[in-house]
Amino acid sequence: MAGTRAAIRYAKAILDVAKDNNNAAAVNADMSSIVNAIKGSAELKEFLHSPVVKGEIKFSSVTEIFASAQKETKSLFQLLLVNKRFELLQDVAIQYNALHDELNGIETAVVTTAFPITTELETKVLAK
């Protein structure tokens, strides 16, 4: 619970900076790639959570892995280094994506049907 609250605070801070710089969408793309990379690699997740690996090594690694990231994303890496909270990176990215979607009025819906959905019905659902 505390980790989630901290992740929300970091995400809000980065979103505020990104909005001020008119770069929220590009940072959202960075956060999506961070989430996908960590979900797709158990080794990366373990590396970020490891108390044995020094923060500077984690910082240099994520900076290299996400070399094309926006400056706001790289400032998040720096902030996580200073505060020794790299284990929150995935949670911060998830929270950022959620806050960005909320800001833009994007909602997630799950549609369950008793029969295979047709293209026409899918179009109607997506329009709503």
Side-chain angles (χ1 to χ4, degrees):
M1 176 83 172
T4 303
R5 287 197 315 241
I8 291 170
R9 286 194 305 270
Y10 282 111
K12 283 182 180 178
I14 296 302
L15 181 60
D16 287 343
V17 171
K19 283 191 316 191
D20 291 344
N21 295 337
N22 294 320
N23 204 19
V27 174
N28 190 52
D30 288 348
M31 296 299 166
S32 294
S33 68
I34 289 170
V35 170
N36 291 334
I38 295 173
K39 280 185 179 177
S41 173
E43 294 85 10
L44 179 58
K45 185 172 187 170
E46 186 177 324
F47 173 77
L48 292 172
H49 285 265
S50 175
V52 177
V53 180
K54 294 187 185 228
E56 292 81 12
I57 296 171
K58 292 177 184 179
F59 175 76
S60 64
S61 297
V62 295
T63 302
E64 189 173 322
I65 293 168
F66 304 106
S68 63
Q70 303 297 312
K71 64 181 179 181
E72 294 87 356
T73 304
K74 291 180 180 178
S75 71
L76 171 64
F77 299 157
Q78 183 66 39
L79 189 59
L80 294 175
L81 170 65
V82 169
N83 294 327
K84 299 177 181 168
R85 299 300 300 263
F86 265 105
E87 73 278 359
L88 292 179
L89 181 58
Q90 182 179 17
D91 293 335
V92 172
I94 290 168
Q95 292 301 327
Y96 183 95
N97 289 143
L99 291 170
H100 185 266
D101 287 351
E102 183 180 316
L103 177 70
N104 291 304
I106 298 171
E107 296 182 25
T108 303
V110 176
V111 177
T112 305
T113 65
F115 50 88
I117 192 165
T118 64
T119 307
E120 180 183 334
L121 183 57
E122 182 179 357
T123 306
K124 287 181 182 178
V125 170
L126 289 174
K128 292 284 181 185

